[in-house]
């Protein structure tokens, strides 16, 4: 999918997700630690945020498990790595503040089931995900990692979700973000080393070339600092994953999603992928495992469980076109 028409469809889907995640209750200790978001069907999706996850499971598939490199099969564990930044509903800490939960570890757990391996989650800072993959300390990253042409030089990808970005603003800001001109002169926070940052930098350069003011880009150590800056007016916008922005807006009632964008730019649907060191021998079994859980319905159950059915893909692809080196 590589046309502007596709992008408009994607943007509409992303906006549908933001709309679906309307005002929700905060966690309810009397109900085991849950929160609710409105579902697209008009009902509500109750999200379990307690450490007792009761994850969706599936059976081992011997033929796919046999594809896993022998070293990993002998070890018996799938060493996955994700980011320590709390980003509900993607990857975040449960109500005990130590158990890692979210849609990313749930999908990783399904893959481990198919491969007949025990899931072992390693939680590190964003930049150390790639350091650990480079050194083969970890087998695969499940951390909302976007396929990009630059990353494809060092890593192999097996896709499992659409990648849509969201501009989050203080509720009632009146802002509407549809393109580079709407962020000209604005102060926008973004995560360092992310594809969101790459897109924002390019938008800023585009503004300057057009004679408009550049974007004033800000970086914060964690989400709590970012949201404090947003509430206090020190920044106008925060650009991050749309599911996170929509979830935060829904559960706090203090912010709103004021624009969405494909994570791969204007002409390509962005894709999130399981990420492994290039030529590690793991990407094919990862893709085969993902396609198996897509086919048997457990993948859909996981997305539904976290209120993210609009981000589903119909197949896992190995190394598809990703965010271009320049977003033209």
């Amino acid at each position: 999918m590589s046309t502007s028409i596709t992008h408009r469809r994607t943007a509409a889907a992303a906006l549908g997700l933001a709309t679906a995640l309307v005002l929700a209750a905060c966690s309810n200790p009397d109900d085991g630690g849950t929160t609710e978001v409105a579902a697209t069907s008009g009902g509500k999706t109750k999200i379990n945020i307690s450490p007792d996850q009761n994850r969706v499971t599936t059976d081992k598939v011997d033929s796919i498990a046999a594809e896993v490199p022998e070293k990993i099969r002998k070890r018996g564990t799938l060493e996955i790595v994700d980011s320590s930044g709390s980003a509900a509903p993607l990857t975040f800490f449960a109500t005990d503040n130590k158990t890692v939960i979210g849609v990313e570890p749930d999908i990783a757990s399904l893959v481990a089931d198919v491969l007949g391996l025990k899931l072992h989650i390693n939680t590190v800072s964003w930049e150390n995900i790639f350091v650990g993959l480079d050194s083969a300390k970890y087998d695969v990253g499940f951390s909302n990692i976007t396929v990009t042409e630059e990353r494809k030089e060092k890593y192999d990808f097996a896709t499992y979700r659409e990648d849509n970005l969201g501009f989050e603003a203080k509720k009632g800001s009146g802002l509407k973000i549809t393109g580079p001109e709407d962020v000209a002169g604005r102060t926008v926070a973004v995560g360092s080393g992310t594809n969101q940052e790459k897109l924002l930098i390019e938008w800023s350069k585009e503004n300057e070339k057009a004679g408009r003011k550049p974007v004033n880009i800000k970086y914060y150590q964690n989400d709590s600092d970012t949201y404090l800056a947003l509430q206090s007016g020190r920044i106008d916008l925060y650009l991050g994953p749309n599911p996170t922005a929509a979830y935060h807006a829904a559960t706090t009632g203090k912010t709103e999603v004021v624009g969405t964008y494909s994570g791969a730019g204007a002409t390509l649907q962005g894709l999130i992928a399981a990420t492994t060191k290039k030529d590690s021998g793991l990407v094919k079994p990862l893709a085969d495992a993902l396609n198996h859980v897509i086919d048997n319905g457990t993948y859909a159950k996981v997305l539904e469980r976290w209120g993210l059915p609009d981000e589903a893909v119909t197949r896992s692809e190995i190394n598809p076109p990703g965010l271009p080196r320049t977003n033209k």
Side-chain angles (χ1 to χ4, degrees):
M1 298 185 293
S2 59
T3 67
S4 57
I5 293 174
T6 299
H7 169 60
R8 288 196 293 272
R9 181 197 63 76
T10 299
L15 282 168
L17 173 62
T19 303
L21 292 171
V22 296
L23 186 62
C26 294
S27 61
N28 179 3
D30 296 329
D31 197 18
T34 63
T35 190
E36 286 184 339
V37 295
T40 51
S41 63
K44 286 194 172 183
T45 296
K46 182 176 287 188
I47 294 177
N48 175 13
I49 57 174
S50 78
D52 301 318
Q53 282 294 288
N54 191 26
R55 284 188 173 124
V56 178
T57 61
T58 194
D59 293 331
K60 178 184 178 182
V61 178
D62 290 337
S63 59
I64 301 176
E67 299 172 1
V68 175
E70 184 179 6
K71 180 180 178 181
I72 298 174
R73 279 189 280 118
K74 285 185 174 180
R75 186 209 303 148
T77 61
L78 184 65
E79 297 292 331
I80 79 146
V81 60
D82 61 19
S83 174
S84 56
S86 184
L90 301 175
T91 302
F92 63 113
F93 291 107
T95 50
D96 64 354
N97 291 318
K98 63 180 182 180
T99 302
V100 178
I101 63 173
V103 70
E104 302 286 73
D106 272 17
I107 292 175
S109 180
L110 283 181
V111 169
D113 285 347
V114 174
L115 301 181
L117 299 170
K118 182 178 180 181
L119 182 70
H120 185 214
I121 299 175
N122 301 273
T123 302
V124 301
S125 61
W126 172 258
E127 63 274 11
N128 280 321
I129 290 175
F130 301 97
V131 172
L133 290 173
D134 291 345
S135 66
K137 183 177 182 180
Y138 313 120
D139 299 320
V140 55
F142 279 88
S143 193
N144 202 59
I145 301 171
T146 302
V147 180
T148 75
E149 290 304 307
E150 184 176 359
R151 289 173 182 163
K152 281 164 65 176
E153 290 186 357
K154 295 178 67 175
Y155 308 102
D156 285 323
F157 295 95
T159 60
Y160 61 86
R161 277 195 303 106
E162 287 193 352
D163 175 31
N164 297 306
L165 311 181
F167 286 91
E168 191 173 1
K170 189 175 181 179
K171 194 166 187 179
S173 70
L175 296 174
K176 183 175 176 61
I177 309 301
T178 59
E181 64 278 5
D182 298 319
V183 294
R186 296 287 182 186
T187 303
V188 185
V190 72
S192 178
T194 62
N195 69 307
Q196 297 99 279
E197 178 194 31
K198 184 176 187 294
L199 287 165
L200 192 60
I201 289 172
E202 291 184 359
W203 275 21
S204 184
K205 290 178 180 177
E206 187 175 333
N207 281 330
E208 288 188 275
K209 287 179 181 178
R212 298 185 292 261
K213 291 182 179 179
V215 181
N216 182 17
I217 302 175
K218 295 290 186 181
Y219 302 92
Y220 293 91
Q221 291 296 315
N222 53 60
D223 285 349
S224 60
D225 290 341
T226 302
Y227 289 126
L228 183 61
L230 195 60
Q231 287 301 310
S232 67
R234 295 198 304 276
I235 60 175
D236 299 307
L237 296 156
Y238 171 47
L239 175 59
N242 188 59
T244 302
Y247 184 96
H248 181 261
T251 54
T252 66
K254 295 180 179 180
T255 62
E256 59 186 348
V257 176
V258 296
T260 58
Y261 201 74
S262 166
T267 61
L268 187 68
Q269 171 58 60
L271 293 169
I272 300 298
T275 306
T276 186
K277 187 176 181 179
K278 198 162 193 66
D279 300 323
S280 69
L282 194 54
V283 71
K284 186 178 186 300
L286 287 171
D288 288 347
L290 286 162
N291 281 321
H292 179 76
V293 299
I294 289 170
D295 290 342
N296 74 12
T298 52
Y299 165 81
K301 288 180 181 178
V302 165
L303 292 186
E304 186 69 34
R305 181 173 186 245
W306 293 102
L308 298 175
D310 289 337
E311 296 223 332
V313 295
T314 57
R315 301 300 294 167
S316 176
E317 300 177 77
I318 294 176
N319 296 330
L323 175 67
R325 290 182 176 278
T326 56
N327 180 33
K328 300 296 184 183

